[in-house]
Amino acid sequence: MGGAWLAPATHLDKTYHVQIGAVADAALLDSITKGVRIDDGSFLGPKSAHILRIGEKNSWLEIVLDEGKNRHIRRMLAALGINVLRLLRIAIGPLTLGDLPKGASQRLADVDKRALDRAMRQNSVVSEANQGRRSGTRPR
């Protein structure tokens, strides 16, 4: 079941801190939030995005995805002419990753497993309701 938490189909929020090689402003944030259509016809956009801090030559953003496609953030920002300097996933659903090193894993505490299961159930109910609205039918 552990791998299911990472699957894009769960629509669990994945939160990233992204250092970009540009000084972010409201216009850039608006472009990111609206999303972009890339060369292959895919539409890439975040669930949310905001500025964490701004430097003289770069900025840190927090970007939340509820559906992560391959290299989603890097391709989305590249389409806007923005270079990604660093990309750190900091949370999956309600679970913050803390100081877990790149490529490392650890056993989840029972309380963390329950929180992830609860988030997946909530996302499943919301997803079914949204599908019903789009198709004109109501979820059961």
Side-chain angles (χ1 to χ4, degrees):
M1 178 75 178
W5 294 322
L6 296 175
T10 64
H11 295 283
L12 279 178
D13 289 351
K14 280 105 179 155
T15 304
Y16 298 85
H17 283 178
V18 186
Q19 184 182 28
I20 59 171
V23 177
D25 59 13
L28 174 61
L29 203 58
D30 188 50
S31 294
I32 292 169
T33 303
K34 286 180 180 175
V36 296
R37 188 152 314 276
I38 61 171
D39 292 339
D40 69 4
S42 300
F43 180 81
L44 300 174
K47 180 176 182 179
S48 66
H50 70 272
I51 298 170
L52 293 173
R53 61 183 174 268
I54 299 173
E56 290 182 28
K57 297 181 181 179
N58 61 56
S59 304
W60 280 91
L61 308 174
E62 183 172 274
I63 297 178
V64 179
L65 303 178
D66 61 357
E67 177 185 25
K69 297 176 182 170
N70 183 35
R71 299 177 55 85
H72 188 131
I73 291 174
R74 290 184 188 278
R75 294 187 306 148
M76 176 179 66
L77 292 174
L80 295 170
I82 303 297
N83 187 30
V84 173
L85 304 176
R86 292 188 71 199
L87 178 63
L88 308 167
R89 182 164 46 197
I90 62 158
I92 300 171
L95 183 66
T96 58
L97 303 180
D99 295 329
L100 191 64
K102 182 178 180 177
S105 63
Q106 69 183 35
R107 280 203 181 276
L108 290 177
D110 286 341
V111 66
D112 294 330
K113 289 178 187 177
R114 286 191 299 272
L116 285 168
D117 287 339
R118 207 171 20 258
M120 284 177 56
R121 280 193 304 275
Q122 288 172 341
N123 285 348
S124 175
V125 169
V126 169
S127 179
E128 287 175 12
N130 287 339
Q131 287 175 354
R133 261 184 257 148
R134 281 193 294 268
S135 67
T137 62
R138 295 181 56 163
R140 293 179 224 181

